[in-house]
Amino acid sequence: MIRIGVICPSEIAFRRFMPALQQARNFEYIGVAAALYCEWTESGQASLNKSTIPSEYEKACHFAQTYGGKVFEGYENMVSSNEIDAVYLPLPPALHFKWAEKALRNGKHVLVEKPSSTSLSDTTKLVTLAKNNSLAIHENYMFVYHNQLKAINAIINSGELGEVRIYRINFGFPKRDLRDFRYNKLLGGGALLDAGGYTLKYASLLLGNNSFLTAATANYITGYEVDMYGSATMQNPQGEVAQISFGMDNDYRCELEIWCSKATLTTNRILTAPAGFVPTYTIKKNQEIETHTLPADDAFLKSILQFEQCINNSVTRDEEYKLIEHQSALVEKFKELCRMV
């Protein structure tokens, strides 16, 4: 049995992680950690006023009332606890490196929300630390485990669509509350690290790990300190191309379009389908349009089960190390191409 704790009673932990964890037989939930104020200021957030720091203790108590377990006062107390074998880390991106590193140095396996960190150098340090201590670190891009991706790959490989001319992946959503960490540069905000990572990840899956970025643009809006939307082009050695776009000041879109020689396939919940949701796709052949269903799934549960495999299987663990570094390298290349600071 793998004893796991949650660092921070975040919305995604409460709404998505815990319901999925309850279905994972080989995990035992121990508790949730609430930050001490000093743990935020020591994490490079010294310019934040105390009044802007969310009070996590009350949220953690509500978390415990709903899901059981104990409340750890302070993240440090959780990562150093001998009651814990693994941690789920759904903090803002700028805090991932610090707390993932502390957890790994205390012998804990780490399931970290995307992105693994805010820089390739930090991600490489985490992977090296995990590897040297035979520990799992798993980046929670859960959509990659959804069965709809396999179904779409089968359609592509069947030849029904003909030869692929281009892939297009769009993921964006309207503005959220301005206090959201996504708009805070100190906390690792920005559209690239949030929405853009999804599109880069999926483009890499479609084109293969030998694909590369050829162009990238990050766009800013007056009054915001982070990138708000962006786009890029990826290519593989075979000449296949993917165009991606993303943003967090956008009309909601979560789409895949595959334009081919015989037909075009489109689907609109490719990255965010919740548990039990039945996605649909359309195939357009000139003026004829057909609509079909894709399989429902629980991608969050399957990502947790993949984390379990990383813990128990060294081959799976080594494969995950490579995937995490590859994803981080893509994000770093995007920054280089558009000279992001």
Side-chain angles (χ1 to χ4, degrees), residues 15 17 25 31 33 55 81 83 93-94 99 107 109 118-119 123-124 147 152 165 189 207 209 233 253 302 321:
R15 184 171 52 87
F17 175 75
R25 298 178 183 176
S55 175
S81 172
E83 300 177 71
W99 291 105
H109 305 285
T118 57
S119 72
T123 293
T124 299
N147 277 335
I152 289 170
R165 299 301 186 225
L207 296 178
N209 282 339
T233 303
R253 294 177 72 176
K302 291 173 79 171
Y321 295 151

Side-chain angles (χ1 to χ4, degrees), residues 207 210-212 235-240:
L207 296 178
N210 57 354
S211 56
F212 51 93
Q235 183 177 328
N236 64 19
Q238 294 74 44
E240 295 178 316

Side-chain angles (χ1 to χ4, degrees), residues 183-234:
Y183 306 110
N184 188 321
K185 190 172 184 178
L186 284 173
L187 293 179
L192 172 61
L193 291 178
D194 194 69
Y198 285 88
T199 59
L200 289 169
K201 183 79 169 180
Y202 193 27
S204 178
L205 290 175
L206 290 168
L207 296 178
N209 282 339
N210 57 354
S211 56
F212 51 93
L213 282 159
T214 59
T217 302
N219 301 93
Y220 295 78
I221 296 174
T222 301
Y224 292 86
E225 60 184 6
V226 298
D227 56 299
M228 295 292 284
Y229 61 101
S231 57
T233 303
M234 289 182 66

Side-chain angles (χ1 to χ4, degrees), residues 20-301:
L21 184 71
Q22 290 176 324
Q23 301 178 65
R25 298 178 183 176
N26 295 322
F27 285 89
E28 178 187 359
Y29 168 64
I30 301 299
V32 61
L36 302 176
Y37 173 65
C38 63
E39 291 178 332
W40 282 77
T41 56
E42 289 170 0
S43 300
Q45 318 310 318
S47 67
L48 293 174
N49 295 322
K50 187 170 184 178
S51 61
T52 69
I53 305 296
S55 175
E56 289 189 347
Y57 186 75
E58 289 185 9
K59 289 178 65 177
C61 290
H62 175 64
F63 202 101
Q65 289 170 359
T66 304
Y67 293 112
K70 63 184 291 185
V71 174
F72 289 78
E73 294 190 37
Y75 299 164
E76 188 82 48
N77 287 331
M78 172 170 281
V79 298
S80 62
S81 172
N82 59 14
E83 300 177 71
I84 300 288
D85 303 312
V87 296
Y88 169 56
L89 209 165
L91 292 167
L95 304 182
H96 287 182
F97 175 75
K98 173 178 179 174
W99 291 105
E101 182 187 42
K102 281 182 174 288
L104 291 167
R105 290 196 183 281
N106 278 278
K108 316 303 183 193
H109 305 285
V110 176
L111 170 55
V112 60
E113 274 302 330
K114 62 280 172 192
S116 56
S117 79
T118 57
S119 72
L120 176 58
S121 61
D122 280 350
T123 293
T124 299
K125 290 175 186 175
L126 292 177
V127 168
T128 301
L129 182 58
K131 188 182 299 184
N132 289 344
N133 291 279
S134 299
L135 293 168
I137 180 168
H138 175 56
E139 187 177 31
N140 194 34
Y141 277 107
M142 53 195 166
F143 79 91
V144 305
Y145 305 105
H146 198 290
N147 277 335
Q148 66 172 322
L149 269 63
K150 290 182 181 178
I152 289 170
N153 288 343
I155 295 168
I156 297 169
N157 294 332
S158 73
E160 178 185 358
L161 306 177
E163 296 180 359
V164 175
R165 299 301 186 225
I166 197 165
Y167 298 101
R168 293 191 178 100
I169 307 164
N170 306 312
F171 182 38
F173 45 84
K175 285 181 185 173
R176 302 189 178 207
D177 189 300
L178 295 184
R179 294 169 294 181
D180 193 296
F181 73 83
R182 292 167 179 83
Y183 306 110
N184 188 321
K185 190 172 184 178
L186 284 173
L187 293 179
L192 172 61
L193 291 178
D194 194 69
Y198 285 88
T199 59
L200 289 169
K201 183 79 169 180
Y202 193 27
S204 178
L205 290 175
L206 290 168
L207 296 178
N209 282 339
N210 57 354
S211 56
F212 51 93
L213 282 159
T214 59
T217 302
N219 301 93
Y220 295 78
I221 296 174
T222 301
Y224 292 86
E225 60 184 6
V226 298
D227 56 299
M228 295 292 284
Y229 61 101
S231 57
T233 303
M234 289 182 66
Q235 183 177 328
N236 64 19
Q238 294 74 44
E240 295 178 316
V241 172
Q243 295 175 337
I244 66 171
S245 56
F246 55 87
M248 50 190 197
D249 179 35
N250 298 49
D251 172 55
Y252 182 83
R253 294 177 72 176
C254 185
E255 300 172 341
L256 168 69
E257 176 188 285
I258 311 173
W259 190 9
C260 302
S261 58
K262 295 180 181 178
T264 300
L265 182 150
T266 58
T267 184
N268 62 6
R269 288 300 297 273
I270 194 64
L271 305 173
T272 60
F277 177 81
V278 179
T280 60
Y281 70 97
T282 62
I283 292 182
K284 175 183 173 295
K285 297 179 179 178
N286 297 316
Q287 301 308 313
E288 297 179 4
I289 300 176
E290 300 175 351
T291 300
H292 306 273
T293 60
L294 289 162
D297 209 350
D298 188 340
F300 213 129
L301 172 60

